[in-house]
Structure formats: structure tokens, C-alpha cells
Amino acid sequence: MSLDKVVSGPADAVAGVRSGASVAVGGFGLAGIPWFLIEALLEQGADDLTIVSNNCGVDGAGLGLLLEHRRISRVVASYVGENKEFARQYLSGELTVELTPQGTLAERLRAGGSGVGAFYTPTGVGTLVSEGGLPWRYHPDGTVALASPPKEVRTFHGKEMVLEESIVTDVALVRAAAVDRAGNCVFHAAARNFNPAVAMAGRFTVVEAERVVEVGEIDPDHVHLPGVFVQSVVALTPEQAARKDIEKRTTRARQEAN
């Protein structure tokens, strides 16, 4: 049986994503997002998607493209970010949004990939996160159409903790710096962010790789994500691998030396 998981391209990798699927997507803002898998999913046409991601891209880029084309019906994220279309759809009642504390979201994904059904955490105790009432969906007139339910709270080691369910999705899309043909991944610096946890949570995980190497070229001690969590690998061209946009470019005038 071949361990070679490299497929022909992004379109091939996402061809099986069905409408109504749940899709976990790696990245933080625009750092470490699977640019070409997202664009292939847009062209593929699946809609009514549930997206699980730290945020939902920015206007005109990343997951923001799927939002603009009305392909997403529900988002599980830690914040809206600076995506005006995300905020507009949410507040106008076009989009269901489950906001989750950032660390809790990361652990829900990791737990799902580890086979853990739920866990207790002190994060959110005494707030709407545990007591319920967070607006998940609005009516067009601004009233709340759907709110979060209350969650179980128990005391462990003298501290109250709230029960959070893990997350398992139909598909996961991530990006890595180096991947071998068996799917073992290495991420670069801050681009690592949510990618390993997202990859673990997907029943079918696709990695777009900036560089594909042969099995054995990555030192086992350097593997950030074992290939057991990966089903398909997409090899990017050097030009594609160089695409690493940022959300904001901040500069100042260079000071001349005296």
C-alpha cells in the first residue's frame, strides 16, 4: 500500500466537499491560511458550509471570499476581526455565528482530533459563555433569533469549570511549510498557529504544502503534525508558496543617521 498522499492539485483535493459540510480551516487572520484550497473550494461550488476557524478571513481574501459569495451559513470562530462583510452578514441575520474563546476553540479542535468528547475549562465561567444567551443569529430587525444555550458547570479542585464539547469536522484545510509524501508536516513560526489542531479535527484533512519532500527527509523530532492526521497533500508551485499577504502593512519614515 502506497503512503504517497500527494494529489494533482487543489481542485482535485476539494472535489469531494459536499454542500452542507463542516470545514475547519487553519490560519490566524491571513497568516498560515490555505489560500489555494480556499479558492479551489470557492470554484468547486459547495455552499451552506459550516466553517470552523479562528476568524473568517478579511474582505476580499481568504475565507472572506466564501462569505462574499454566500457559501457559508454558519461560523464557529473566536472573533469577527476586521471583516466588514462578516460583521454585516452576522448583524443582519444572514449568518449564524458561534463565538468561542480563542483558547477554548483551539482545545475543542485538538480534543476532537484526540477522540475526547468534551472537557471542562474555567474560561467563560460566570459569563454568557457558560450561562447562555450569546446571540448566535439575529433577525433582520436586530432582535436575537437564536441564542447560545447554558452549559454544564462543575467544580474541580475548588474551581468552577464549564463543559465544552470538542469539534470534529467533515473536512480540514491547512497550510504547511514542508510536508513529506506521507503527510508529515512542519509549520513555520507564527504560521503554525491553529493549523495542527485544525488538521487533527478533520475526518478528511488536506494540506497545501509550500515544499514537498520525500519520506525520511524530515527528522521525526521536527514533525509538528504526524501524517496519520493527513489524507491529501497538494504541492504548491514556488510562485504559489511565495504568496503570504498580510492584513495591515505599517511603515514609518526612515530616520537618517546623523
Side-chain angles (χ1 to χ4, degrees), residues 127-144:
T127 72
L128 295 181
V129 171
S130 62
E131 296 172 358
L134 279 172
W136 279 2
R137 191 178 187 94
Y138 288 98
H139 288 296
D141 64 4
T143 58
V144 177

Side-chain angles (χ1 to χ4, degrees), residues 17-251:
V17 180
R18 57 176 175 77
S19 293
S22 56
V23 184
V25 182
F28 190 116
L30 296 181
I33 69 169
W35 291 93
F36 299 96
L37 292 176
I38 292 171
E39 291 175 2
L41 184 57
L42 176 65
E43 293 190 12
Q44 187 253 35
D47 60 6
D48 190 26
L49 299 172
T50 293
I51 297 294
V52 182
S53 187
N54 180 58
N55 61 301
C56 210
V58 300
D59 294 295
L63 289 170
L65 294 172
L66 291 175
L67 274 174
E68 291 172 11
H69 288 81
R70 303 294 193 277
R71 301 292 176 79
I72 302 173
S73 61
R74 183 170 183 265
V75 175
V76 181
S78 71
Y79 74 109
V80 174
E82 298 184 12
N83 190 323
K84 294 182 177 63
E85 180 61 14
F86 186 4
R88 189 200 66 76
Q89 289 188 27
Y90 175 41
L91 295 175
S92 65
E94 300 173 23
L95 185 68
T96 299
V97 178
E98 180 184 341
L99 291 175
T100 303
Q102 195 168 77
T104 300
L105 177 60
E107 180 60 13
R108 290 178 69 188
L109 290 161
R110 190 207 66 82
S114 300
V116 176
F119 59 92
Y120 286 92
T121 174
T123 303
V125 170
T127 72
L128 295 181
V129 171
S130 62
E131 296 172 358
L134 279 172
W136 279 2
R137 191 178 187 94
Y138 288 98
H139 288 296
D141 64 4
T143 58
V144 177
L146 178 66
S148 65
K151 299 174 183 176
E152 179 184 341
V153 175
R154 291 180 60 185
T155 300
F156 296 92
H157 311 295
K159 195 168 189 176
E160 286 190 325
M161 300 190 182
V162 58
L163 181 67
E164 293 281 1
E165 292 188 17
S166 63
I167 294 175
V168 177
T169 60
D170 298 316
V171 181
L173 307 178
V174 303
R175 177 162 173 153
V179 185
D180 70 20
R181 290 183 172 273
N184 297 298
C185 299
V186 176
F187 303 94
H188 177 67
R192 186 173 177 179
N193 53 60
F194 274 76
N195 277 301
V198 162
M200 292 174 65
R203 294 187 180 94
F204 188 91
T205 295
V206 184
V207 180
E208 65 175 49
E210 295 175 16
R211 184 167 61 96
V212 173
V213 300
E214 298 301 320
V215 174
E217 289 189 46
I218 300 175
D219 186 318
D221 284 341
H222 296 163
V223 171
H224 295 143
L225 177 76
V228 68
F229 292 108
V230 176
Q231 281 68 51
S232 289
V233 175
V234 174
L236 300 181
T237 66
E239 293 74 22
Q240 290 173 326
R243 179 175 175 181
K244 297 177 182 179
D245 296 352
I246 61 174
E247 293 181 60
K248 285 188 174 182
R249 186 180 301 278
T250 304
T251 61

